[in-house]
Amino acid sequence: MNEDIKTNYHQPVMVDEVLQLLKPERGGVFVDCTLGGGRHARALLEQFKAKNSKCKIKVFGIDRDAEAIEHAKERLNKYDNVILAKDNFVNVNQILEDHKIGKVGGILVDLGVSSHQLDDAGRGFSFGRWDSSASPQNDNNNCQNDIPLDMRMDREQDISAYDVINYYSERELERIIREYGEERRFRQIAREIVIARKKKKIETTGELVDIIAGIMPGKLKHGRKHFATNVFRAIRIEVNDELDAISTALPIMINKLARGGVLIVISFHSLEDRIVKNMFKSFALEYPARYQILTKKPLVPSDAEVESNRRARSAKLRAITRMDGEL
Ligand SMILES: C[S@@+](CC[C@H](N)C(=O)[O-])C[C@H]1O[C@@H](n2cnc3c(N)ncnc32)[C@H](O)[C@@H]1O
């Protein structure tokens, strides 16, 4: 694999902040629950090496996307203390137990999709481009970049965006577009999807974009944010059951922390961040002698980072540590 592909897989966000909080030079077991292209994991291993630590380190990398695991394997194959697992991070406890690991020194969760997943034409995460110069009556599809509706992080999973769009009831579509997309035209969009699929199944991202384009007022179609962003986010969250995964996994992860262990979660929209904030708060309130929140307010990327990586702009980092228990 050439170096460009490996480097461009995903530019990790807030790497310095992650290293300062996790302090891999302490040694011990660290778990990157959202391995992606493996650059956060590599940064942990490099910082450990650079600080010439006398202790040992082991890094677990988990991702539900087999392609991510393959990419990361290439990036991390020169380190011998790395274990990779293609799995959902809700199974982190089992993965660690299989390797006879009890508590761990650090856990990182960098939520959402990787740039590679977004940019890979075959994955169906990104909207096709809508050509505003073409008329809706035109036989030529407005969308110039037609990709099968998929959006599965784990391609072995049964349900894809095609199933959600073509088989969910109108009420279910309304709910996910309203709750996960926070899209105020949720009713109209769900209605138009149902009307369109009666004529023919909706098969591509482009077809979905064209349906949404038919509803959105002109000024929104030329805004900085793509007018289909909210609907695409809603479908992606539903397909990958993203919010349930976070709610289920966070308590498991918090319970895996050793004394001095740190859990970091980087989220990219308010729905995720709210779950993280509330979960951390409830643990710190219920067990004040055991857990301490390290980020009273979430950390956000510097202006310089946002300048060089636009995808970092909505990142929010929260961290919690365990103060008692086994080392
Ligand atoms: C933003 S990327 C992580 C990028 C990574 N930090 C890096 O340095 O390249 C998020 C990754 O998390 C994975 N992911 C999301 N939800 C997951 C889950 N519930 N279990 C396992 N992996 C998940 C996605 O497949 C994606 O590869």
Side-chain angles (χ1 to χ4, degrees):
M1 194 184 306
N2 83 36
E3 191 53 39
D4 266 3
I5 296 173
K6 283 195 272 171
T7 318
N8 292 338
Y9 190 93
H10 182 82
Q11 189 175 340
V13 303
M14 304 183 80
V15 175
D16 291 344
E17 291 84 346
V18 166
L19 293 175
Q20 273 165 28
L21 284 159
L22 286 187
K23 296 189 182 55
E25 60 276 15
R26 294 177 292 149
V29 179
F30 292 84
V31 190
D32 183 343
C33 286
T34 46
L35 186 68
R39 282 176 68 181
H40 272 124
R42 186 181 64 182
L44 290 177
L45 290 152
E46 282 299 317
Q47 171 142 324
F48 175 79
K49 210 166 86 181
K51 301 239 166 157
N52 207 5
S53 187
K54 297 276 177 290
C55 39
K56 288 196 173 143
I57 191 169
K58 196 183 275 273
V59 173
F60 281 80
I62 302 171
D63 204 295
R64 67 205 293 198
D65 182 342
E67 256 178 50
I69 294 290
E70 282 313 306
H71 275 261
K73 210 181 262 172
E74 293 244 355
R75 194 186 297 286
L76 302 174
N77 65 9
K78 68 172 175 158
Y79 306 95
D80 54 11
N81 34 15
V82 176
I83 294 167
L84 303 184
K86 189 225 154 243
D87 210 328
N88 193 313
F89 59 54
V90 295
N91 300 320
V92 61
N93 204 20
Q94 191 58 50
I95 295 166
L96 291 171
E97 275 180 9
D98 288 348
H99 289 85
K100 313 217 170 344
I101 303 287
K103 304 285 183 193
V104 303
I107 302 179
L108 172 64
V109 186
D110 174 19
L111 290 166
V113 279
S114 65
S115 308
H116 176 80
Q117 288 167 328
L118 274 176
D119 298 340
D120 182 344
R123 306 296 294 264
F125 282 105
S126 292
F127 3 83
R129 264 171 292 129
W130 183 79
D131 176 5
S132 58
S133 62
S135 93
Q137 286 79 32
N138 195 326
D139 279 342
N140 296 326
N141 193 327
N142 279 347
C143 180
Q144 304 170 341
N145 195 4
D146 253 357
I147 300 159
L149 277 169
D150 190 330
M151 300 196 201
R152 290 169 302 168
M153 290 179 187
D154 176 357
R155 285 169 130 175
E156 285 169 299
Q157 159 189 315
D158 288 338
I159 182 172
S160 71
Y162 176 87
D163 302 302
V164 172
I165 291 295
N166 286 293
Y167 297 111
Y168 273 31
S169 70
E170 188 173 334
R171 291 285 159 269
E172 285 174 308
L173 286 171
E174 279 183 6
R175 182 186 64 78
I176 62 172
I177 296 170
R178 174 171 48 83
E179 278 180 26
Y180 302 159
E182 299 173 298
E183 169 56 61
R184 59 193 197 88
R185 292 177 179 77
F186 63 93
R187 262 200 204 100
Q188 236 180 321
I189 294 171
R191 179 94 282 262
E192 291 303 321
I193 289 173
V194 170
I195 291 172
R197 76 190 190 192
K198 277 190 187 138
K199 293 182 209 141
K200 143 186 187 317
K201 293 273 184 267
I202 302 163
E203 291 180 53
T204 66
T205 55
E207 288 167 23
L208 180 59
V209 167
D210 279 349
I211 292 168
I212 302 166
I215 294 161
M216 292 294 174
K219 66 175 187 317
L220 285 186
K221 282 188 218 154
H222 303 285
R224 214 169 135 80
K225 175 173 159 183
H226 194 292
F227 57 85
T229 300
N230 296 347
V231 177
F232 270 63
R233 187 182 81 196
I235 308 296
R236 192 200 87 201
I237 290 176
E238 174 66 19
V239 168
N240 297 291
D241 202 13
E242 291 178 37
L243 301 184
D244 273 355
I246 305 167
S247 306
T248 307
L250 282 182
I252 299 170
M253 292 172 181
I254 294 173
N255 277 312
K256 286 311 277 184
L257 293 177
R259 189 193 325 160
V262 174
L263 165 64
I264 294 178
V265 185
I266 304 174
S267 56
F268 291 84
H269 57 77
S270 56
L271 297 172
E272 292 170 341
D273 184 55
R274 199 175 310 142
I275 295 172
V276 181
K277 179 173 136 188
N278 291 338
M279 192 69 78
F280 282 11
K281 250 193 194 160
S282 75
F283 270 80
L285 276 176
E286 194 167 346
Y287 310 101
R290 175 164 298 171
Y291 296 109
Q292 186 189 358
I293 294 173
L294 297 172
T295 45
K296 290 272 172 287
K297 284 206 166 131
L299 306 184
V300 293
S302 65
D303 292 346
E305 178 167 1
V306 175
E307 185 80 20
S308 71
N309 179 12
R310 243 184 85 69
R311 278 178 181 158
R313 69 193 183 282
S314 43
K316 286 203 169 117
L317 183 156
R318 294 185 187 271
I320 190 167
T321 188
R322 178 163 182 158
M323 298 178 293
D324 70 346
E326 59 187 91
L327 273 172

